[in-house]
Each structure stands twice: as C-alpha cells, then as structure tokens.
Amino acid sequence: MRLPDLTDLALSETTIAVRVSPKASRNAIERKGGEMRIYVTTVPENGKANAAVIKLLAKALGVPKSRLSLIRGETSRDKVIRID
C-alpha cells in the first residue's frame, strides 16, 4: 500500500474534509485538487471504520494518531478531521 505524502497538511489546528468509503477492496487515500477520498477495508460498525481512517490519515500525514480528532461526521461518509 502506497500512501500519498500529505505532510504539507500537517499543521496545527488544520481541519481536513474527507469522503470515506468503508468496506473497500484496499486501504488507500486519493487526493485530487481540494478533495480527499479515503478507502478503508474495515466495516462501519462501532467506530471501526473511523479508527481505520484516523490511523491511515495519521500515517500519511506523518503525525501520531493522538493528534487527530474527528470533529464532524461520526456516522456519515463525509467527515471533518482536525489536527491538534
């Protein structure tokens, strides 16, 4: 799995809007223009997909998972994540 380099977004107090596709065939992040799509293989049950999104995004950003927090879209495909 190859992730894009998103270190340019890893600034404190930055918010990132993403569209999530759970139950995908692979874990991946696609960034086209101002839109970001995250594909995770995890099912959307009990926050498992959200945890997978945070883990994948933290790896691509080069920051610890503890710096990321989901501020909107817990049960939606459209999410907003903040970097603390």
PDB file of all heavy atoms in Angstrom, residues 47-67:
ATOM      1  N   GLY A  47     -17.561   2.272  15.242  1.00  0.00           N
ATOM      2  CA  GLY A  47     -16.426   3.177  15.081  1.00  0.00           C
ATOM      3  C   GLY A  47     -15.173   2.553  14.499  1.00  0.00           C
ATOM      4  O   GLY A  47     -14.116   3.185  14.480  1.00  0.00           O
ATOM      5  N   LYS A  48     -15.260   1.310  14.016  1.00  0.00           N
ATOM      6  CA  LYS A  48     -14.075   0.641  13.464  1.00  0.00           C
ATOM      7  C   LYS A  48     -13.554   1.347  12.215  1.00  0.00           C
ATOM      8  O   LYS A  48     -12.346   1.498  12.046  1.00  0.00           O
ATOM      9  CB  LYS A  48     -14.389  -0.816  13.142  1.00  0.00           C
ATOM     10  CG  LYS A  48     -14.622  -1.676  14.353  1.00  0.00           C
ATOM     11  CD  LYS A  48     -14.991  -3.085  13.943  1.00  0.00           C
ATOM     12  CE  LYS A  48     -15.355  -3.934  15.149  1.00  0.00           C
ATOM     13  NZ  LYS A  48     -15.793  -5.272  14.748  1.00  0.00           N
ATOM     14  N   ALA A  49     -14.448   1.770  11.342  1.00  0.00           N
ATOM     15  CA  ALA A  49     -14.024   2.453  10.118  1.00  0.00           C
ATOM     16  C   ALA A  49     -13.418   3.814  10.451  1.00  0.00           C
ATOM     17  O   ALA A  49     -12.421   4.216   9.853  1.00  0.00           O
ATOM     18  CB  ALA A  49     -15.191   2.611   9.153  1.00  0.00           C
ATOM     19  N   ASN A  50     -13.989   4.525  11.420  1.00  0.00           N
ATOM     20  CA  ASN A  50     -13.433   5.814  11.827  1.00  0.00           C
ATOM     21  C   ASN A  50     -12.020   5.647  12.374  1.00  0.00           C
ATOM     22  O   ASN A  50     -11.129   6.431  12.066  1.00  0.00           O
ATOM     23  CB  ASN A  50     -14.318   6.486  12.880  1.00  0.00           C
ATOM     24  CG  ASN A  50     -15.623   6.978  12.308  1.00  0.00           C
ATOM     25  OD1 ASN A  50     -15.738   7.209  11.118  1.00  0.00           O
ATOM     26  ND2 ASN A  50     -16.613   7.133  13.156  1.00  0.00           N
ATOM     27  N   ALA A  51     -11.804   4.614  13.170  1.00  0.00           N
ATOM     28  CA  ALA A  51     -10.475   4.344  13.720  1.00  0.00           C
ATOM     29  C   ALA A  51      -9.487   4.025  12.603  1.00  0.00           C
ATOM     30  O   ALA A  51      -8.330   4.471  12.637  1.00  0.00           O
ATOM     31  CB  ALA A  51     -10.535   3.201  14.725  1.00  0.00           C
ATOM     32  N   ALA A  52      -9.930   3.282  11.606  1.00  0.00           N
ATOM     33  CA  ALA A  52      -9.065   2.943  10.473  1.00  0.00           C
ATOM     34  C   ALA A  52      -8.722   4.188   9.661  1.00  0.00           C
ATOM     35  O   ALA A  52      -7.588   4.333   9.186  1.00  0.00           O
ATOM     36  CB  ALA A  52      -9.737   1.899   9.590  1.00  0.00           C
ATOM     37  N   VAL A  53      -9.679   5.093   9.505  1.00  0.00           N
ATOM     38  CA  VAL A  53      -9.442   6.346   8.783  1.00  0.00           C
ATOM     39  C   VAL A  53      -8.403   7.185   9.518  1.00  0.00           C
ATOM     40  O   VAL A  53      -7.457   7.698   8.905  1.00  0.00           O
ATOM     41  CB  VAL A  53     -10.761   7.138   8.607  1.00  0.00           C
ATOM     42  CG1 VAL A  53     -10.495   8.560   8.157  1.00  0.00           C
ATOM     43  CG2 VAL A  53     -11.671   6.438   7.621  1.00  0.00           C
ATOM     44  N   ILE A  54      -8.557   7.314  10.825  1.00  0.00           N
ATOM     45  CA  ILE A  54      -7.608   8.096  11.633  1.00  0.00           C
ATOM     46  C   ILE A  54      -6.204   7.495  11.527  1.00  0.00           C
ATOM     47  O   ILE A  54      -5.217   8.214  11.343  1.00  0.00           O
ATOM     48  CB  ILE A  54      -8.069   8.155  13.103  1.00  0.00           C
ATOM     49  CG1 ILE A  54      -9.391   8.923  13.232  1.00  0.00           C
ATOM     50  CG2 ILE A  54      -6.989   8.762  13.997  1.00  0.00           C
ATOM     51  CD1 ILE A  54      -9.308  10.398  12.956  1.00  0.00           C
ATOM     52  N   LYS A  55      -6.118   6.184  11.621  1.00  0.00           N
ATOM     53  CA  LYS A  55      -4.811   5.508  11.557  1.00  0.00           C
ATOM     54  C   LYS A  55      -4.146   5.731  10.198  1.00  0.00           C
ATOM     55  O   LYS A  55      -2.966   6.066  10.120  1.00  0.00           O
ATOM     56  CB  LYS A  55      -4.995   4.018  11.820  1.00  0.00           C
ATOM     57  CG  LYS A  55      -3.720   3.228  11.812  1.00  0.00           C
ATOM     58  CD  LYS A  55      -3.968   1.769  12.115  1.00  0.00           C
ATOM     59  CE  LYS A  55      -2.693   0.971  12.070  1.00  0.00           C
ATOM     60  NZ  LYS A  55      -2.916  -0.450  12.352  1.00  0.00           N
ATOM     61  N   LEU A  56      -4.903   5.563   9.120  1.00  0.00           N
ATOM     62  CA  LEU A  56      -4.372   5.720   7.770  1.00  0.00           C
ATOM     63  C   LEU A  56      -3.976   7.170   7.505  1.00  0.00           C
ATOM     64  O   LEU A  56      -2.900   7.437   6.947  1.00  0.00           O
ATOM     65  CB  LEU A  56      -5.425   5.257   6.763  1.00  0.00           C
ATOM     66  CG  LEU A  56      -4.998   5.014   5.338  1.00  0.00           C
ATOM     67  CD1 LEU A  56      -3.977   3.889   5.263  1.00  0.00           C
ATOM     68  CD2 LEU A  56      -6.203   4.671   4.486  1.00  0.00           C
ATOM     69  N   LEU A  57      -4.809   8.105   7.918  1.00  0.00           N
ATOM     70  CA  LEU A  57      -4.526   9.517   7.697  1.00  0.00           C
ATOM     71  C   LEU A  57      -3.314   9.969   8.513  1.00  0.00           C
ATOM     72  O   LEU A  57      -2.475  10.720   8.019  1.00  0.00           O
ATOM     73  CB  LEU A  57      -5.753  10.357   8.044  1.00  0.00           C
ATOM     74  CG  LEU A  57      -5.731  11.824   7.636  1.00  0.00           C
ATOM     75  CD1 LEU A  57      -5.475  11.978   6.147  1.00  0.00           C
ATOM     76  CD2 LEU A  57      -7.036  12.489   8.013  1.00  0.00           C
ATOM     77  N   ALA A  58      -3.189   9.487   9.740  1.00  0.00           N
ATOM     78  CA  ALA A  58      -2.038   9.841  10.577  1.00  0.00           C
ATOM     79  C   ALA A  58      -0.740   9.362   9.932  1.00  0.00           C
ATOM     80  O   ALA A  58       0.266  10.073   9.933  1.00  0.00           O
ATOM     81  CB  ALA A  58      -2.195   9.241  11.969  1.00  0.00           C
ATOM     82  N   LYS A  59      -0.778   8.177   9.370  1.00  0.00           N
ATOM     83  CA  LYS A  59       0.416   7.629   8.711  1.00  0.00           C
ATOM     84  C   LYS A  59       0.805   8.486   7.504  1.00  0.00           C
ATOM     85  O   LYS A  59       1.976   8.785   7.297  1.00  0.00           O
ATOM     86  CB  LYS A  59       0.147   6.192   8.286  1.00  0.00           C
ATOM     87  CG  LYS A  59       1.359   5.470   7.785  1.00  0.00           C
ATOM     88  CD  LYS A  59       1.059   4.008   7.574  1.00  0.00           C
ATOM     89  CE  LYS A  59       2.300   3.267   7.132  1.00  0.00           C
ATOM     90  NZ  LYS A  59       2.055   1.845   6.962  1.00  0.00           N
ATOM     91  N   ALA A  60      -0.184   8.904   6.703  1.00  0.00           N
ATOM     92  CA  ALA A  60       0.091   9.718   5.516  1.00  0.00           C
ATOM     93  C   ALA A  60       0.556  11.129   5.891  1.00  0.00           C
ATOM     94  O   ALA A  60       1.371  11.721   5.187  1.00  0.00           O
ATOM     95  CB  ALA A  60      -1.149   9.795   4.636  1.00  0.00           C
ATOM     96  N   LEU A  61       0.045  11.658   7.003  1.00  0.00           N
ATOM     97  CA  LEU A  61       0.427  12.993   7.453  1.00  0.00           C
ATOM     98  C   LEU A  61       1.764  13.001   8.182  1.00  0.00           C
ATOM     99  O   LEU A  61       2.395  14.042   8.329  1.00  0.00           O
ATOM    100  CB  LEU A  61      -0.645  13.569   8.388  1.00  0.00           C
ATOM    101  CG  LEU A  61      -1.965  13.964   7.751  1.00  0.00           C
ATOM    102  CD1 LEU A  61      -3.005  14.217   8.824  1.00  0.00           C
ATOM    103  CD2 LEU A  61      -1.796  15.190   6.877  1.00  0.00           C
ATOM    104  N   GLY A  62       2.164  11.837   8.693  1.00  0.00           N
ATOM    105  CA  GLY A  62       3.400  11.762   9.453  1.00  0.00           C
ATOM    106  C   GLY A  62       3.260  12.298  10.862  1.00  0.00           C
ATOM    107  O   GLY A  62       4.208  12.843  11.426  1.00  0.00           O
ATOM    108  N   VAL A  63       2.061  12.165  11.435  1.00  0.00           N
ATOM    109  CA  VAL A  63       1.803  12.619  12.804  1.00  0.00           C
ATOM    110  C   VAL A  63       1.246  11.452  13.611  1.00  0.00           C
ATOM    111  O   VAL A  63       0.707  10.499  13.050  1.00  0.00           O
ATOM    112  CB  VAL A  63       0.805  13.808  12.842  1.00  0.00           C
ATOM    113  CG1 VAL A  63       1.352  14.996  12.078  1.00  0.00           C
ATOM    114  CG2 VAL A  63      -0.555  13.413  12.298  1.00  0.00           C
ATOM    115  N   PRO A  64       1.336  11.519  14.945  1.00  0.00           N
ATOM    116  CA  PRO A  64       0.738  10.463  15.767  1.00  0.00           C
ATOM    117  C   PRO A  64      -0.798  10.495  15.689  1.00  0.00           C
ATOM    118  O   PRO A  64      -1.390  11.562  15.493  1.00  0.00           O
ATOM    119  CB  PRO A  64       1.197  10.787  17.189  1.00  0.00           C
ATOM    120  CG  PRO A  64       2.176  11.874  17.085  1.00  0.00           C
ATOM    121  CD  PRO A  64       2.093  12.471  15.729  1.00  0.00           C
ATOM    122  N   LYS A  65      -1.415   9.332  15.850  1.00  0.00           N
ATOM    123  CA  LYS A  65      -2.887   9.246  15.823  1.00  0.00           C
ATOM    124  C   LYS A  65      -3.516  10.137  16.877  1.00  0.00           C
ATOM    125  O   LYS A  65      -4.611  10.657  16.680  1.00  0.00           O
ATOM    126  CB  LYS A  65      -3.354   7.808  16.065  1.00  0.00           C
ATOM    127  CG  LYS A  65      -3.013   6.850  14.974  1.00  0.00           C
ATOM    128  CD  LYS A  65      -3.601   5.488  15.242  1.00  0.00           C
ATOM    129  CE  LYS A  65      -3.032   4.902  16.520  1.00  0.00           C
ATOM    130  NZ  LYS A  65      -3.462   3.526  16.763  1.00  0.00           N
ATOM    131  N   SER A  66      -2.832  10.333  17.992  1.00  0.00           N
ATOM    132  CA  SER A  66      -3.382  11.125  19.097  1.00  0.00           C
ATOM    133  C   SER A  66      -3.559  12.594  18.736  1.00  0.00           C
ATOM    134  O   SER A  66      -4.300  13.302  19.403  1.00  0.00           O
ATOM    135  CB  SER A  66      -2.500  10.995  20.336  1.00  0.00           C
ATOM    136  OG  SER A  66      -1.197  11.466  20.052  1.00  0.00           O
ATOM    137  N   ARG A  67      -2.894  13.059  17.681  1.00  0.00           N
ATOM    138  CA  ARG A  67      -3.056  14.456  17.254  1.00  0.00           C
ATOM    139  C   ARG A  67      -4.279  14.666  16.371  1.00  0.00           C
ATOM    140  O   ARG A  67      -4.652  15.809  16.096  1.00  0.00           O
ATOM    141  CB  ARG A  67      -1.815  14.925  16.501  1.00  0.00           C
ATOM    142  CG  ARG A  67      -0.628  15.164  17.427  1.00  0.00           C
ATOM    143  CD  ARG A  67       0.473  15.916  16.755  1.00  0.00           C
ATOM    144  NE  ARG A  67       0.020  17.170  16.156  1.00  0.00           N
ATOM    145  CZ  ARG A  67       0.663  17.769  15.164  1.00  0.00           C
ATOM    146  NH1 ARG A  67       1.747  17.235  14.648  1.00  0.00           N
ATOM    147  NH2 ARG A  67       0.209  18.910  14.661  1.00  0.00           N
TER     148      ARG A  67
END
